[in-house]
Amino acid sequence: MEAVAGGGEAAATGGLGCGDLSRATAVSVLGWGFTKVVARAALAGGGSVALKSVHGAGREVRRCVQRYGAPAGCRRLAAYKLLKEVTLLQRLQHPGIVKLHGQCYDNRGDAELRVTAMLELGSPLEMIQLLQTPWEERFKICLSLVKLLFYLAHSPLGSIVLLDFQPRQFVMVDGNLKVTDMDDASTEELSCKEDNDCTLDFPTKSFPLKCSVVGKCEGINEKKNLFNAYRYFFTYLLPHSAPPTLRPLLSDILNATGDLRYGINETLRAFEKVLHLYKSGLYLQKRPLLLKDYISLKGFRTVEGEGHKCWPSYSHLGCLLSIHSAEEAAAICNSQLQCQSFIITQHRTWTGRPLASFQSSWTDLIPDANAVVYIKRSASSRERL
């Protein structure tokens, strides 16, 4: 353990070690699971990290003690499991995997405290909140997950399966999805003698797989990850409030991953096709040009305040939506009974698309050299009358 963990300090690649851990302050528990407890800590040099250590009173240790009657040995076994996770995080580098900032192995303390991992700090994944976010943000999370699974299928260690694949194993870091729990990851693929040995079972479905010539079930790790992504993420986050012309493609993705007709390579290509259509504006239906029905006033914007609301919006105070162009914004405004004007803001989404704010009035204008406000000609005529 000392050799792998770096003899009590940070690994040879650099990073935080036991000295940094001893100087950390404001330590507060964030949560715990069967094996580990996670705390937040402030570093002496600034910034915060997540501290992951063995949960001595956790279910896994308790069950081990009940079975073997060896408390110290059971805590040591849990520490080995955490060290395995540290070692995996050292080897696996990907934007979808939480960063390992350092670790400490201290053989002077209690067994469950001997290994402490210092990780990138994230916030728990809240699926209910995600369901209330704009489709573009939910698509980003699903795309990030697909890219992670592609990496795991082709990792330097071989095809990796996340045996405990649940939303609670993920966190959000600066708006990006990252897996934070790797102790149940495995590179082992199921051994077999014939195809009948290769059934992939889930609570509601089973999938027959092939037994390869080397005696392994072909692609079982990749397919297990992909179906779990489908049942825990895609079904909830992909279809709702998606642009109408993209829904058939998203439906194809759901059907193909739900039936495991797609592997991870095909799934990533399908997601990238949707992304290209969305970013380029090619998804937009041909329709009459509506921007001609609006007057544009350069150098002005509307006063910020509570306007009419729409869902899903980037702001809970009003109607703030992602658009491809002013023409699309005009079409959206025309579809809303209350909308009389809109302004295209300087803010951009992760795809580079601007955000447009839709308003039920336009009379309160203030100078802004970088802004353009678009007002319905009909609304302008009524105002003059």
Side-chain angles (χ1 to χ4, degrees):
M1 291 177 70
E2 288 185 21
V4 177
E9 283 295 332
T13 54
L16 303 175
C18 293
D20 302 284
L21 181 62
S22 66
R23 292 187 294 272
T25 58
V27 178
S28 58
V29 174
L30 296 176
W32 54 84
F34 295 159
T35 310
K36 295 161 294 188
V37 61
V38 181
R40 177 191 181 116
L43 297 173
S48 299
V49 292
L51 304 179
K52 190 179 287 190
S53 56
V54 171
H55 186 15
R59 193 167 88 175
E60 190 159 314
V61 173
R62 292 201 316 270
R63 283 182 172 179
C64 175
V65 172
Q66 290 170 1
R67 183 172 182 180
Y68 298 107
C74 289
R75 289 193 293 268
R76 193 173 298 114
L77 185 62
Y80 272 111
K81 192 172 182 180
L82 177 55
L83 187 59
K84 170 200 168 184
E85 182 173 13
V86 167
T87 306
L88 275 175
L89 292 174
Q90 288 174 336
R91 294 290 306 277
L92 301 174
Q93 304 292 320
H94 187 269
I97 300 175
V98 73
K99 290 181 182 176
L100 176 71
H101 289 315
Q103 66 280 333
C104 173
Y105 170 52
D106 185 357
N107 60 8
R108 296 169 298 176
D110 294 333
E112 65 263 27
L113 299 178
R114 286 179 181 173
V115 181
T116 302
M118 288 167 271
L119 306 169
E120 189 175 23
L121 184 65
S123 57
L125 188 66
E126 300 288 351
M127 292 298 287
I128 293 178
Q129 291 181 8
L130 285 180
L131 290 172
Q132 300 173 35
T133 60
W135 175 82
E136 187 174 325
E137 299 306 308
R138 286 182 273 120
F139 179 79
K140 175 187 178 183
I141 286 178
C142 292
L143 176 61
S144 298
L145 181 57
V146 169
K147 289 181 177 179
L148 169 63
L149 298 189
F150 179 85
Y151 173 77
L152 293 179
H154 306 285
S155 87
L157 304 178
S159 181
I160 296 176
V161 62
L162 302 176
L163 295 173
D164 189 16
F165 195 119
Q166 300 274 350
R168 65 172 178 264
Q169 309 293 355
F170 294 83
V171 294
M172 297 297 293
V173 180
D174 297 328
N176 297 303
L177 181 75
K178 301 198 176 201
V179 63
T180 187
D181 207 334
M182 295 288 289
D183 63 344
D184 285 314
S186 175
T187 58
E188 292 294 322
E189 293 203 281
L190 187 64
S191 298
C192 57
K193 293 182 178 178
E194 56 184 25
D195 290 350
N196 289 336
D197 298 329
C198 293
T199 301
L200 183 56
D201 289 317
F202 292 95
T204 58
K205 278 189 175 183
S206 295
F207 300 95
L209 303 180
K210 295 289 186 181
C211 182
S212 71
V213 293
V214 295
K216 298 288 183 180
C217 296
E218 287 185 1
I220 192 167
N221 288 352
E222 172 188 329
K223 292 181 182 298
K224 188 168 187 177
N225 284 339
L226 187 56
F227 188 79
N228 278 326
Y230 158 80
R231 66 177 179 144
Y232 287 121
F233 287 87
F234 299 167
T235 54
Y236 299 106
L237 302 181
L238 267 187
H240 309 296
S241 69
T245 53
L246 293 180
R247 288 174 190 169
L249 293 176
L250 297 173
S251 180
D252 289 344
I253 290 174
L254 285 170
N255 291 334
T257 53
D259 294 336
L260 287 184
R261 286 184 286 109
Y262 278 1
I264 192 59
N265 296 355
E266 296 87 352
T267 303
L268 180 57
R269 282 197 294 269
F271 267 84
E272 288 178 336
K273 179 180 179 181
V274 172
L275 179 62
H276 169 69
L277 293 173
Y278 186 67
K279 288 179 68 175
S280 65
L282 293 173
Y283 72 97
L284 292 171
Q285 294 173 315
K286 290 185 178 180
R287 63 182 76 179
L289 298 179
L290 301 173
L291 196 59
K292 65 182 188 311
D293 298 329
Y294 288 77
I295 299 171
S296 64
L297 296 176
K298 294 183 179 180
F300 291 93
R301 64 178 172 84
T302 53
V303 176
E304 291 185 8
E306 288 200 24
H308 77 280
K309 296 179 174 59
C310 62
W311 183 89
S313 169
Y314 279 85
S315 170
H316 67 280
L317 297 176
C319 187
L320 188 64
L321 302 176
S322 165
I323 59 161
H324 174 68
S325 62
E327 189 64 52
E328 184 183 15
I332 293 172
C333 190
N334 274 24
S335 70
Q336 299 174 349
L337 292 177
Q338 293 176 287
C339 184
Q340 299 298 319
S341 66
F342 64 87
I343 179 171
I344 299 176
T345 73
Q346 299 297 308
H347 301 292
R348 303 265 169 174
T349 67
W350 66 277
T351 61
R353 289 162 55 101
L355 293 176
S357 177
F358 297 86
Q359 303 288 333
S360 55
S361 68
W362 63 272
T363 53
D364 297 324
L365 298 178
I366 57 175
D368 187 335
N370 297 318
V372 181
V373 63
Y374 296 83
I375 304 165
K376 278 184 178 178
R377 292 182 183 275
S378 57
S380 175
S381 299
R382 286 197 302 270
E383 190 64 28
R384 286 198 299 270
L385 292 172

